[in-house]
Amino acid sequence: MKSMQNSFYFFFLVTLLFSCATPKEKEAQAEPETEKPKIVNIINFIRLLEPRSEEITEDVLYQTVVQQVEMMKEYHLGGTFLLQYDALMDSRYQELLKSLPDSSFEIGGWFEIPQPLVENAGMKWRGRYPWDWHADVGFATGYTPEEREKLVDVYMEDFKMIFGYYPKSMGCWFIDAHSLEYMYEKYGIVASCNCKDQVGTDGYTMWGGYWNQAYYPSRKNAYMPAQNSENQIPVPIFRMLGSDPVYQYDDGLGNERQGVVSLEPVYKKGGGDSTWVNWYFKHFVEGESLEYAYVQAGQENSFTWERIQKGFEIQLPLIARLRHENKVKVETLAESGEWFRKNYQTTPATSVSVLEDLPGKNKKTLWFNSRFYRSNLLWQNGELFFRDIQLFDENMESLYLNKKGTSNQCLYFALPFVDGYFWSNSEQRAGLRFKALIDGKEIFLKGKQISTSEPEKGTLQVFWTLNDELGTFSVEMNEKNLEIYLDSKQEINWFLDLNVVENADLPFIEITPQEITSEFKGMKYAVTASKGEISIPQNGNVFRITPQENTLILNFSKK
């Protein structure tokens, strides 16, 4: 009888505790572990001042953060606030952020370099303003490795003095490998985040890297995924801003810099548009992601509440509803970093799949990422082609590994094999295209139906059914290889051709029947045809890859 009474009281206590939990805690308790989690980080980073506009005062920036906090509380959404040093030292932000419950909110660091941090580290400020966004002043890459360590030490010690602990997460548009490893070794950070791929925006070019989700960076290059655990910094870097999988890549093609099409609430053709936001999250939840899906929502306060309010009002209710339906997990950046480190010893293969376009448009795309390469398939006007293939090599040193950058721009690249941005212009699109020789004529193969599957862990399989009953292509992308097979009832002389614009700056230095050797930024690399044959066609294209027994296999892991 006593045992029954104890069981009853235990049950009553558990029920009472659950009934008293906050809405967020109830949903967290009810949320099951999913096989392929869809992870949302709401990350807002905070600057003290904005020298580019007199109207954006320190109070305007502070009130922006106040409104972000209030709306997140309204929808019971936790998240991460990352503090630039000047904001870290401001008592208003300290008081506001200390009031947030650490059960659902995380406070971390945003490692842009303002004047007070430099001077407190014993150095002379070189900037035009107290915060200067030029890469050689406002980012750690503009300082020597020894100076970077001083900057990190000052930031970390002052953060601990204010909050009582060291931050677990440190983010920035880009953090160099030396600083990142120092933050890990000395202060134990568990996660970082950097900017999405872009060309020239604010002077920062990051191009060809692990396209979305997260990766373990090389000890020599924080933008480059490592291939081996002994050569990686064990801090996952999550890609920020929710890049449009279809349209961001080509935006601004032919211009000096790209535009921005992302989940950021400020952008009217992205995160500030309800149609776009609902389309983005539909594919985020339903698209094939292999291991997991990831997106960063939120916005820096520099854009001000007046400009980002509409986007927040669109996104936060939707994220809250999807969480309530157990379709997404809302975590802090540190929680996602700890989860990643627990589940992956090296960077996993992931994908982003969008097989239905925005209303009134008609494109499809598939992104694949592994620790060895990334690839992107784009379908438009009935044609499917490789818009992008970039290789990764942990031995490729960053320009900023051992010396400081002296330019107001920052440049990070991978190793191009197909580059649909830099080898294109506004009139002609570069790409590796599916073609065939039929009745003596070269034609572009066309088809409408596309589907995906995961035949085995870490492999994205794409099926593309051709018109006129010519057959169905199977395109398999796994960690190291790309395998293409045509299932057809008739013999079809098909192949892949790479076309580029005239005078494109290409890396290819030798093309043989089984291998293409390239050199880019001082790094040599090769792509091998394990099955199939490579040649130089007479039609003016760069190279042709012809299948063997209706199959071709390309290996992207050879060094």
Side-chain angles (χ1 to χ4, degrees), residues 208-210 224-225 227 370-374 391-393 414 559:
Y210 197 98
M224 181 68 68
Q227 286 74 60
S370 79
R371 58 193 164 120
F372 291 94
Y373 73 102
R374 81 175 192 188
L391 277 60
F392 304 144
D393 189 338
K559 298 293 185 290

Side-chain angles (χ1 to χ4, degrees), residues 70-139:
E70 289 304 310
M71 187 170 286
M72 292 170 73
K73 285 182 175 179
E74 178 184 353
Y75 291 100
H76 307 290
L77 292 169
T80 299
F81 286 91
L82 301 178
L83 284 159
Q84 191 168 286
Y85 183 80
D86 49 7
L88 169 69
M89 304 306 289
D90 187 277
S91 60
R92 293 175 300 173
Y93 290 111
Q94 295 172 15
E95 183 178 352
L96 174 65
L97 298 179
K98 283 181 178 180
S99 71
L100 300 179
D102 57 13
S103 59
S104 52
F105 287 93
E106 173 198 9
I107 313 303
W110 184 255
F111 204 56
E112 290 183 17
I113 315 297
Q115 184 173 354
L117 178 57
V118 170
E119 292 179 343
N120 288 350
M123 293 178 274
K124 183 179 179 180
W125 177 244
R126 297 179 276 109
R128 301 165 297 167
Y129 316 101
W131 167 65
D132 190 334
W133 56 93
H134 279 180
D136 58 334
V137 175
F139 295 86

Side-chain angles (χ1 to χ4, degrees), residues 250 252-255 420-430 501:
D250 301 317
L253 198 64
N255 300 321
Y421 188 86
F422 281 104
W423 302 346
S424 300
N425 58 32
S426 56
E427 288 80 34
Q428 184 181 354
R429 169 73 56 74
V501 297

Side-chain angles (χ1 to χ4, degrees), residues 341-457:
R341 298 204 315 178
K342 178 181 177 182
N343 284 274
Y344 305 112
Q345 291 186 338
T346 56
T347 301
T350 62
S351 63
V352 175
S353 304
V354 177
L355 299 182
E356 180 183 354
D357 206 341
L358 288 158
K361 298 183 177 182
N362 192 23
K363 294 182 180 180
K364 313 174 197 289
T365 198
L366 301 114
W367 287 91
F368 175 84
N369 300 279
S370 79
R371 58 193 164 120
F372 291 94
Y373 73 102
R374 81 175 192 188
S375 65
N376 176 235
L377 281 164
L378 181 71
W379 180 91
Q380 64 175 3
N381 302 323
E383 295 179 28
L384 184 70
F385 65 96
F386 287 95
R387 179 167 59 170
D388 186 277
I389 300 176
Q390 307 270 346
L391 277 60
F392 304 144
D393 189 338
E394 63 194 14
N395 294 308
M396 183 180 183
E397 289 190 3
S398 160
L399 295 171
Y400 318 105
L401 179 64
N402 298 310
K403 61 183 180 179
K404 65 181 183 180
T406 57
S407 167
N408 61 10
Q409 300 189 36
C410 186
L411 305 173
Y412 281 101
F413 293 97
L415 302 171
F417 184 67
V418 178
D419 196 315
Y421 188 86
F422 281 104
W423 302 346
S424 300
N425 58 32
S426 56
E427 288 80 34
Q428 184 181 354
R429 169 73 56 74
L432 187 61
R433 300 178 184 275
F434 290 80
K435 299 173 70 175
L437 189 64
I438 296 180
D439 297 330
K441 294 183 178 180
E442 288 186 12
I443 66 166
F444 293 99
L445 293 170
K446 293 193 174 186
K448 292 183 178 180
Q449 185 176 341
I450 296 177
S451 61
T452 63
S453 72
E454 185 183 4
E456 58 186 20
K457 188 177 179 64

Side-chain angles (χ1 to χ4, degrees), residues 526-540:
V527 172
T528 302
S530 304
K531 194 165 189 176
E533 187 171 288
I534 306 165
S535 61
I536 301 176
Q538 296 180 350
N539 61 4

